[in-house]
Amino acid sequence: MRLKKTLFGNYRAKEVEACIESLEEGFDREIQKKNEKIESLRKKIDSMKNQEKEIGEAVVYAKSLVIEAHEKAEKEAKEVIITNTNKIADMVENGIKPIPEGFYPPKMENAEEIVRTMTYEKAYRIYGDPLPEIVSKRLERELDAIINNGFSVLYLSAQKLVKKSLDNGYLVGSRGSVGSSLVAFMMGITEVNALYPHYICDNPECKYSEFIEREGVGIDLPDKICPKCGAKLRKDGYSIPFEVFMGFKGDKVPDIDLNFSGEYQSEIHRYCEELFGKENVFKAGTISTLAEKNAEAYVRKYFEDNNLNAVRAEIIRLGRLCQGAKKTTGQHPGGMVIVPQGNSIYEFCPVQRPANDETSESTTTHYDYHVMDEQLVKLDILGHDDPTTIKLLQEYTNMEIKDIPLADKDTLKIFSSTESLGVTPEQIGTEIGTYGIPEFGTGFVRQMLIDTRPTTFAELVRISGLSHGTNVWLNNAQEFVRNGQATLSQIITVRDDIMNYLIDQGLDNSDAFKIMEFVRKGKPKKEPENWEKFSTMMKEKNVPDWYIESCRRIEYMFPKGHAVAYVMMAMRIAYFKVHQPLAFYAAFLSRKADDFDMEVMSRGILAKQKLEELSKEPKLDPKKKNEQAICEIVVEMEARGIELLPVDIYLSEGRKFTIENGKIRIPLIGINGLGGAVIDAIVKEREEGKFISVEDLKRRTKMSQPVVDKLKNIGAISSLSETNQISLF
């Protein structure tokens, strides 16, 4: 439609044109802005492309640096670890060794003569002068080996330590293969007489002796009257070859291990420093290594951390390669290394403080003591519960421990039944009576006793050997007995069995000894090539396949001397259980006093309930194991009619159970929550004078209200009024 040419129309047309122009300008600006943005984005993209290129180049460069650094590090590591080490080795003069060769015992004047004199003095006292040929030949063979190889000081040192302990009322238990040495017996280092089973007449005018030259135990011989004077003959001898201790050439460095009372161990350590000089005595260092399971765990963790896949067989393979790698340093629980006067410890090894604590009073060899065991004397001064128990039994009864008959028939019965205790298996929850007997009281050994029903001392020795070995009974001999391949008398129980049997089969003495040492250290699995050589030697002498396989499985085993010493100690303690039950139970509970909870343990029915609860747990920690042992004893005591008396503020000892009118009084420590400081305060303050009130008790002993409430609940302070105020009515 044509616009009308009117004034108004002309005006509107101009307005529209202006608006269109304005819109066009706006569109142009927007387009320009868009184009600018597009251009800006394009530039950014181009920049990012450049950055990406630079990053890529940087990555490539970084990779090249890593490869270069790795190659450099590998080169430097090889230089430091291999090249430079060899350079240093080449610079060292021939003949120089990290540890000098030879044996360096501490010096003791006339040690050789003293050892010989002490040995023969006791031998003459027992067997008379002249000595029976079997005794004199054995002593001379041993003394030649001991004296000629420089071990006299070691023997004399051990004798002095044992005498020191005995003089202070603490019996010493021998362990390890020292019981194989007749000289050690004559010097009083061990109670184990290594000779063949024999009879002895103690009549000083007679001294008759009769030897039965065969494997066995003298204690098991039938009773006999002396054919010369009519006195009852004493029985002794455990048939242990000396060669187990020092080898057939007598040049194996003997290791004398002794069990001292735990509460007397520190005193013996101090005495050792007094004998040789504090500057010459060092704690034996140890170095722990990766065990099989830990090694596998380390390998598995490595694969997980690096997102690597590996089959179990490969993990096991690599774990075995890592097994035995050095891990951490430590300190032997009782080993003391002696450096002779005139020598420095630094001639043999560096030293360190435990946990790198420079304030520590003890100094430890940095090297594992096994590295120096052929150069320096090591005394094993170990703490053990049994000597402490014996000391308590002596205090309760005033009996002389060495007078206790080891062949007591009623005592021997508890290892196969409950008859001697006067209780039934149903009453105490077991078919045998060995609760609380060292080495024979655990569930594992009790089951062995139930399975075998031993009736002789010799059988107990075999069981002790089996129970203390690793892969000796379980996963080993048990299988061959059940399959009918061997009897209990044929299986390997102690390391001596191996040497004696192989010699009987016709192997050379030294080869039999080497095989025994190889097996008892668990080396067949670790050194299969060497084991193959030994296996071939045994097969050539018609050793049965099951016997060779049994040797292969063994990882650790007792010497017979160790087993005999443990059974002797067990029989003595068992004698008290049968014939002096109050003393036995009081001594046992005193040793376990820290874990005795009066609220549970003082009542048989509650102890039974607790025992049932503990039996349902798959694995018990050490504390719960102690609780279990205490519950077993409490249940047995109740079955035998022995009553526990409650804690009394005046009558109870601090930490020791006491015998009172045919009953046993619980000590103050039996109250759960009563700390050592409060116990000591009660004992001290009651000696000063009686407590006149609960208020007075709290003030003088610093006792808390909860403990006071507990004492009230059990009736321990029922005689005390609440306050010091006196009522007139």
Side-chain angles (χ1 to χ4, degrees):
M1 186 175 92
R2 200 169 172 181
L3 292 172
K4 292 183 177 179
K5 299 282 184 177
T6 62
L7 182 62
F8 179 76
N10 289 335
Y11 175 78
R12 296 298 298 173
K14 288 179 181 177
E15 190 177 75
V16 170
E17 286 176 0
C19 184
I20 290 170
E21 288 176 1
S22 176
L23 288 170
E24 287 176 344
E25 288 175 0
F27 287 148
D28 289 340
R29 283 195 299 273
E30 287 298 317
I31 290 168
Q32 187 178 351
K33 286 180 181 178
K34 295 291 184 186
N35 288 335
E36 288 173 356
K37 284 184 178 180
I38 290 168
E39 184 62 28
S40 175
L41 288 169
R42 187 179 289 112
K43 287 179 180 178
K44 284 183 179 179
I45 290 168
D46 291 341
S47 175
M48 288 175 70
K49 286 181 179 178
N50 291 333
Q51 286 179 2
E52 186 179 357
K53 184 180 178 183
E54 289 174 2
I55 290 170
E57 290 173 351
V59 169
V60 172
Y61 179 66
K63 284 182 178 178
S64 70
L65 288 177
V66 170
I67 293 168
E68 186 183 343
H70 180 75
E71 290 174 348
K72 186 179 178 184
E74 188 176 8
K75 184 180 177 183
E76 289 179 352
K78 188 176 180 180
E79 186 179 355
V80 170
I81 297 170
I82 300 173
T83 307
N84 290 349
T85 303
N86 286 328
K87 272 185 185 179
I88 293 170
D90 293 338
M91 292 165 65
V92 176
E93 295 177 12
N94 290 332
I96 294 179
K97 298 183 178 181
I99 299 173
E101 290 184 343
F103 186 52
Y104 297 81
K107 295 175 177 62
M108 284 187 174
E109 197 171 343
N110 298 324
E112 295 81 2
E113 189 56 38
I114 293 171
V115 167
R116 183 177 289 277
T117 301
M118 288 181 71
T119 297
Y120 275 103
E121 280 180 353
K122 184 172 179 178
Y124 292 144
R125 278 201 311 273
I126 298 173
Y127 300 102
D129 186 7
L131 294 171
E133 187 178 7
I134 193 171
V135 179
S136 60
K137 281 186 174 180
R138 173 76 178 249
L139 288 179
E140 278 306 305
R141 189 167 83 251
E142 288 195 23
L143 286 169
D144 284 346
I146 295 163
I147 293 171
N148 294 337
N149 288 288
F151 302 136
S152 298
V153 173
L154 175 60
Y155 269 73
L156 190 55
S157 302
Q159 185 272 335
K160 287 180 177 293
L161 295 175
V162 172
K163 187 177 183 301
K164 172 74 172 177
S165 183
L166 293 175
D167 289 346
N168 284 274
Y170 290 94
L171 194 71
V172 181
S174 64
R175 53 189 289 144
S177 53
V178 68
S180 310
S181 174
L182 184 61
V183 171
F185 170 75
M186 294 302 176
M187 292 183 68
I189 297 170
T190 178
E191 292 184 87
V192 180
N193 187 328
L195 290 168
Y196 279 117
H198 58 279
Y199 294 99
I200 316 163
C201 182
D202 289 325
N203 181 351
E205 304 298 322
C206 181
K207 299 296 182 186
Y208 172 83
S209 61
E210 181 181 334
F211 287 84
I212 294 84
E213 296 187 38
R214 66 168 189 264
E215 176 69 22
V217 169
I219 289 169
D220 295 331
L221 293 172
D223 291 340
K224 193 170 182 178
I225 301 299
C226 179
K228 287 180 66 178
C229 71
K232 186 178 180 181
L233 293 174
R234 181 163 58 86
K235 298 172 288 187
D236 206 346
Y238 296 92
S239 189
I240 310 174
F242 173 66
E243 289 74 19
V244 173
F245 191 44
M246 289 180 61
F248 281 91
K249 294 181 180 178
D251 56 354
K252 176 192 170 189
V253 178
D255 189 12
I256 299 179
D257 299 340
L258 300 168
N259 281 341
F260 293 88
S261 167
E263 62 186 41
Y264 194 68
Q265 186 186 17
S266 58
E267 181 60 35
I268 288 294
H269 281 186
R270 282 192 292 272
Y271 182 60
C272 194
E273 293 176 348
E274 182 183 321
L275 277 177
F276 304 108
K278 192 172 182 179
E279 68 281 2
N280 299 313
V281 178
F282 301 87
K283 296 289 179 70
T286 60
I287 297 177
S288 59
T289 57
L290 277 180
E292 182 180 354
K293 296 296 182 186
N294 288 338
E296 287 182 18
Y298 277 122
V299 173
R300 194 179 297 108
K301 185 76 164 50
Y302 174 83
F303 279 102
E304 291 172 357
D305 291 346
N306 291 276
N307 296 316
L308 299 171
N309 294 321
V311 294
R312 173 154 176 77
E314 179 64 2
I315 292 173
I316 292 172
R317 186 186 73 83
L318 293 173
R320 284 176 179 170
L321 293 174
C322 297
Q323 192 177 336
K326 305 292 190 290
K327 190 173 63 170
T328 55
T329 61
Q331 181 177 300
H332 192 280
M336 311 288 285
V337 175
I338 316 298
V339 179
Q341 291 180 350
N343 291 89
S344 167
I345 185 65
Y346 299 109
E347 295 176 43
F348 304 92
C349 72
V351 296
Q352 64 181 23
R353 303 287 184 183
N356 293 324
D357 181 7
E358 290 296 324
T359 62
S360 173
E361 291 186 4
S362 62
T363 306
T364 304
T365 61
H366 181 65
Y367 293 166
D368 185 284
Y369 69 91
H370 287 108
V371 175
M372 304 162 288
D373 59 4
E374 294 186 359
Q375 284 75 33
L376 297 174
V377 165
K378 181 176 84 65
L379 298 171
D380 279 332
I381 305 168
L382 300 159
H384 204 271
D385 285 339
D386 291 352
T388 307
T389 301
I390 293 291
K391 180 83 162 39
L392 286 167
L393 291 169
Q394 286 179 304
E395 291 174 358
Y396 288 129
T397 63
N398 292 319
M399 289 180 64
E400 180 55 54
I401 295 298
K402 291 185 178 181
D403 292 340
I404 290 172
L406 296 176
D408 182 70
K409 291 182 178 156
D410 288 332
T411 302
L412 195 57
K413 283 180 182 177
I414 72 166
F415 297 93
S416 57
S417 73
T418 62
E419 181 187 341
S420 297
L421 303 181
V423 297
T424 64
E426 292 75 23
Q427 285 178 294
I428 63 173
T430 182
E431 296 177 39
I432 55 174
T434 60
Y435 284 150
I437 303 300
E439 314 307 321
F440 295 94
T442 65
F444 169 60
V445 184
R446 290 203 309 270
Q447 189 56 54
M448 289 181 70
L449 294 170
I450 292 168
D451 291 342
T452 57
R453 304 287 178 170
T455 57
T456 65
F457 191 101
E459 288 174 332
L460 292 180
V461 172
R462 295 183 70 76
I463 290 168
S464 177
L466 289 170
S467 66
H468 282 280
T470 305
N471 283 356
V472 178
W473 174 247
L474 296 179
N475 305 314
N476 197 338
Q478 186 184 51
E479 175 187 325
F480 300 121
V481 171
R482 286 178 175 176
N483 294 341
Q485 292 173 278
T487 64
L488 188 62
S489 62
Q490 293 172 319
I491 59 173
I492 303 166
T493 61
V494 290
R495 65 182 71 158
D496 309 53
D497 290 343
I498 298 173
M499 188 183 77
N500 291 335
Y501 176 76
L502 294 179
I503 291 172
D504 289 343
Q505 288 295 115
L507 267 79
D508 180 77
N509 288 347
S510 60
D511 289 335
F513 178 80
K514 287 176 185 175
I515 293 172
M516 176 193 71
E517 289 289 285
F518 193 82
V519 170
R520 66 102 170 175
K521 294 176 181 178
K523 288 186 175 182
K525 291 180 182 177
K526 300 173 185 174
E527 301 178 20
E529 290 181 3
N530 287 330
W531 176 240
E532 187 63 32
K533 295 176 186 174
F534 287 135
S535 299
T536 302
M537 291 169 63
M538 289 191 283
K539 287 175 182 177
E540 289 172 354
K541 297 297 180 180
N542 298 317
V543 176
D545 289 340
W546 74 263
Y547 195 96
I548 297 172
E549 174 60 18
S550 183
C551 288
R552 189 191 68 81
R553 296 182 186 183
I554 290 168
E555 293 183 10
Y556 168 77
M557 62 190 320
F558 256 19
K560 186 177 181 180
H562 199 157
V564 169
Y566 271 10
V567 176
M568 289 174 77
M569 193 74 78
M571 282 292 289
R572 284 171 174 152
I573 293 172
Y575 179 89
F576 284 92
K577 184 173 187 177
V578 174
H579 300 285
Q580 297 281 345
L582 287 171
F584 169 79
Y585 292 117
F588 178 89
L589 293 172
S590 293
R591 263 198 318 105
K592 303 284 186 183
D594 288 339
D595 295 306
F596 187 91
D597 184 351
M598 192 185 74
E599 294 177 19
V600 175
M601 308 298 186
S602 62
R603 295 170 61 190
I605 189 164
L606 292 179
K608 262 189 178 178
Q609 291 173 2
K610 184 69 174 179
L611 204 52
E612 289 173 5
E613 290 175 17
L614 291 169
S615 66
K616 294 175 183 176
E617 295 193 25
K619 192 173 181 180
L620 301 178
D621 59 33
K623 183 173 176 61
K624 286 186 176 180
K625 282 183 179 179
N626 279 335
E627 288 178 2
Q628 183 184 46
I630 294 169
C631 287
E632 290 168 346
I633 285 294
V634 169
V635 169
E636 186 177 86
M637 285 172 61
E638 187 172 75
R640 297 182 74 182
I642 296 172
E643 185 182 340
L644 282 170
L645 296 172
V647 171
D648 186 277
I649 199 72
Y650 294 115
L651 299 176
S652 293
E653 292 280 345
R655 294 170 175 82
K656 180 181 172 184
F657 285 74
T658 51
I659 299 170
E660 187 179 318
N661 300 322
K663 302 174 183 179
I664 297 174
R665 175 76 67 179
I666 300 171
L668 296 171
I669 200 173
I671 302 171
N672 193 20
L674 197 64
V678 175
I679 291 171
D680 293 340
I682 292 172
V683 173
K684 180 177 177 294
E685 290 295 327
R686 74 188 184 188
E687 290 175 357
E688 301 291 329
K690 287 194 172 186
F691 304 106
I692 60 175
S693 66
V694 174
E695 181 185 330
D696 182 47
L697 175 67
K698 286 176 65 177
R699 178 182 60 80
R700 289 165 60 186
T701 63
K702 308 293 188 290
M703 190 182 295
S704 66
Q705 188 60 45
V707 174
V708 170
D709 294 338
K710 190 167 285 188
L711 288 172
K712 286 181 181 177
N713 291 336
I714 63 173
I717 54 175
S718 56
S719 61
L720 299 181
S721 60
E722 280 296 322
T723 68
N724 297 344
Q725 295 179 352
I726 301 173
S727 175
L728 298 175
F729 306 98

